[in-house]
Amino acid sequence: MTAQGATVLGLKATPFILFVLIFVGFGIASEPFLSVQSFENIVKQASFIGIVAIGLTFVMLTGGIDLSVGTNMYVSTVVAGLLMAEYDVSPWLAFLGCVATGVAFGAVNAFLIVRLGMVPFIVTLGTLVAGRGLGLQLTESRGVMLPNDMLRFGSGDTFGVPNPILVFLIVAVFAQILLSSTPIGRHIYAVGADAKAAEKAGIGKGRTVAAAYLICGGCAGLGGFVGVSQLGIVNAGFGEFAELLAIAAAVLGGTSLFGGVGSVLPGTVLGAVLIQMVQSGLVFLRVDIYLQPLIQAFIIFVAVILDSVRNAILGRMARRMIRVEGKD
């Protein structure tokens, strides 16, 4: 392997190296942090934000953004909770209702962005506020208690694997296959890399972007369902700031905010676990609860800067290699 190849390989592995360094760092500071049980809890707690971040990765790969995923989680789980509490619907039917609500929420975003040509940032900022208001109207700001079957699912396991982690892994594998081995996945990358070139190649930009928002909406509903299954209640604050954590997870995993670059496995999955690992590590170290958000934000900020520098270096190296090949 050439020196340049080794450099590229090292730069591409930056998210993983960062993950290991932070994990070992917290482990040295607090030995119990390195236990299997501790790591299992971290992944379990990261599962619902991770699922939401996976859906958001599809949108970001097209060059778009969805600021309403946290509100989508809240509204979808409110619908599921009310179906179970008010209409005695089974948890499985409520689950389908939750995901369907998430997809419908994504469809509203897709319609406004694709059909009406509105800016994704403004559209999803608007649906973030409007959706939260709708959820509060439906619940009258009260928490919706969930049946014990939901808690049993959230705290249970299948073949020794906690259910939230199992769902997280299934969604991640399915999403990665969708992105890397299907036409819609290739279209998403093509639209994100160069929308005009993709349209000239016969790819329907509108359909591709709409599909990304629908997938994102469905993942938000699913992530919300997994999240409340661990809590047993849908309260008014559920999902607040989840969009920021999901965006951070995708970016930390190597997804570009400008589209066309990124992956679910290991990318976004690694980013979601990394964020939760920082949160859990600060708890293990018994850091002042008021300082934890500041330290967490600082670590994420540094990680994003390192990732941006890495992408810039990789971009320069790629352009240099194209010029060299062009001369040949």
Side-chain angles (χ1 to χ4, degrees):
M1 181 183 291
T2 63
Q4 191 175 32
T7 304
V8 171
L9 189 64
L11 288 171
K12 286 185 175 178
T14 300
F16 180 73
I17 295 170
L18 199 62
F19 181 91
V20 173
L21 286 176
I22 292 177
F23 182 68
V24 173
F26 278 121
I28 292 173
S30 174
E31 193 173 334
F33 183 82
L34 292 175
S35 69
V36 175
Q37 185 63 46
S38 164
F39 189 72
E40 180 181 299
N41 287 335
I42 289 171
V43 180
K44 188 175 176 181
Q45 290 166 11
S47 58
F48 71 96
I49 287 295
I51 293 170
V52 176
I54 287 170
L56 193 56
T57 300
F58 281 77
V59 169
M60 291 172 66
L61 284 173
T62 65
I65 194 71
D66 188 347
L67 300 176
S68 65
V69 287
T71 294
N72 188 341
M73 291 170 64
Y74 174 58
V75 174
S76 300
T77 50
V78 161
V79 170
L82 291 177
L83 283 173
M84 289 184 281
E86 303 289 336
Y87 300 99
D88 201 23
V89 169
S90 72
W92 283 110
L93 282 177
F95 164 75
L96 294 177
C98 185
V99 176
T101 304
V103 173
F105 202 108
V108 173
N109 285 333
F111 175 78
L112 294 172
I113 292 166
V114 176
R115 285 292 180 187
L116 302 186
M118 296 175 70
V119 179
F121 182 88
I122 301 299
V123 167
T124 56
L125 189 60
T127 51
L128 178 156
V129 178
R132 181 67 59 177
L134 174 63
L136 294 175
Q137 178 69 29
L138 289 172
T139 61
E140 297 178 343
S141 301
R142 291 177 298 191
V144 180
M145 296 299 297
L146 302 175
N148 290 332
D149 286 346
M150 285 282 291
L151 275 175
R152 276 195 288 274
F153 171 80
S155 59
D157 62 71
T158 304
F159 304 119
V161 181
N163 290 329
I165 296 178
L166 188 63
V167 175
F168 184 25
L169 291 177
I170 290 173
V171 172
V173 171
F174 181 75
Q176 185 57 43
I177 292 173
L178 196 64
L179 280 175
S180 59
S181 305
T182 66
I184 183 64
R186 289 189 284 274
H187 291 180
I188 285 173
Y189 278 109
V191 168
D194 191 333
K196 289 183 179 177
E199 284 186 303
K200 287 179 182 176
I203 296 173
K205 179 188 170 185
R207 288 196 303 273
T208 305
V209 172
Y213 277 94
L214 292 176
I215 293 170
C216 183
C219 284
L222 176 58
F225 193 85
V226 172
V228 295
S229 74
Q230 299 175 61
L231 301 172
I233 185 173
V234 185
N235 57 44
F238 181 69
E240 283 183 340
F241 303 117
E243 57 279 349
L244 302 182
L245 294 175
I247 292 170
V251 173
L252 282 171
T255 301
S256 170
L257 287 167
F258 303 102
V261 177
S263 68
V264 168
L265 274 175
T268 301
V269 171
L270 211 59
V273 177
L274 178 60
I275 287 176
Q276 184 57 49
M277 190 164 66
V278 171
Q279 289 179 341
S280 300
L282 294 175
V283 173
F284 268 90
L285 296 182
R286 298 180 182 177
V287 173
D288 189 318
I289 192 170
Y290 298 109
L291 289 177
Q292 287 185 20
L294 294 175
I295 297 173
Q296 183 187 354
F298 175 76
I299 293 174
I300 292 173
F301 190 62
V302 170
V304 170
I305 288 177
L306 287 174
D307 189 64
S308 299
V309 172
R310 175 193 72 127
N311 288 332
I313 294 173
L314 283 172
R316 281 200 298 271
M317 292 179 72
R319 287 194 293 274
R320 201 176 302 151
M321 288 174 69
I322 290 172
R323 281 200 295 271
V324 171
E325 288 175 0
K327 288 179 181 177
D328 292 341

